[in-house]
Amino acid sequence: MSGTIEARLAELGVTLPEAPAPAANYVPSVRIGDILYVSGQISQNAEGLITGKVGADLGIAEAAAAARACGVSLLAQVRAACDGDLDRLQRVIKLTGFVNSTPDFTDQPRVINGCSDFLVEALGLAGRHARSAISAASLPLNVAVEVEGVFQVR
């Protein structure tokens, strides 16, 4: 039987993928007590990587959708770290979002809202969090967005 969070995701039409494997010499998450640190999740969906420079190749709406995809991957990592039980997630503590953007692009917060809004929509008040939204000259594999997160779990 699906848990409460998984049921809410289903209502939103979201099916979590398997947690993406690390692309290098690091682990997908580290847990210390009830705090779970999840490595940066790059923008990708079922079709593949979401790439491009925001402000040149992608507009804000497309980039926000890429950030939302990062949020889906973050929840997949939390589920994997909680032995498949996403209902062990108590709250989102902090997100740090990186936007592959042109030097003159200044709407990084609007892009990372794609991830933030998704987490609040999926988790309610437990999805509200502290956050940073940062521009990057480039990101791995030319992805548009990368987001890392800190979560409280039980």
Side-chain angles (χ1 to χ4, degrees):
M1 172 160 46
S2 294
T4 306
I5 296 173
E6 298 262 5
R8 175 65 182 142
L9 290 171
E11 289 174 10
L12 297 173
V14 175
T15 301
L16 294 182
E18 291 300 314
N25 188 19
Y26 63 92
V27 294
S29 65
V30 171
R31 184 174 174 177
I32 299 173
D34 66 345
I35 305 300
L36 181 68
Y37 298 85
V38 177
S39 295
Q41 300 298 298
I42 60 175
S43 52
Q44 60 186 338
N45 57 28
E47 287 79 44
L49 296 176
I50 303 168
T51 60
K53 192 162 286 291
V54 182
D57 307 316
L58 299 162
I60 292 171
E62 294 166 301
R68 183 182 192 279
C70 293
V72 171
S73 291
L74 283 168
L75 289 185
Q77 292 292 359
V78 171
R79 180 179 65 185
C82 292
D83 302 317
D85 184 2
L86 195 52
D87 284 334
R88 288 175 45 195
L89 172 59
Q90 292 185 279
R91 77 164 300 150
V92 182
I93 296 172
K94 176 145 197 293
L95 298 179
T96 304
F98 302 91
V99 181
N100 180 3
S101 57
T102 59
D104 60 337
F105 185 80
T106 59
D107 281 325
Q108 292 80 8
R110 289 179 61 199
V111 170
I112 302 305
N113 281 348
C115 184
S116 295
D117 293 347
F118 166 69
L119 291 173
V120 171
E121 188 177 14
L123 305 171
L125 290 177
R128 295 192 42 88
H129 51 272
R131 187 184 85 181
S132 297
I134 302 163
S135 182
S138 66
L139 287 174
L141 306 171
N142 193 37
V143 295
V145 181
E146 180 173 350
V147 181
E148 64 182 24
V150 181
F151 301 85
Q152 182 180 25
V153 297
R154 53 178 173 255

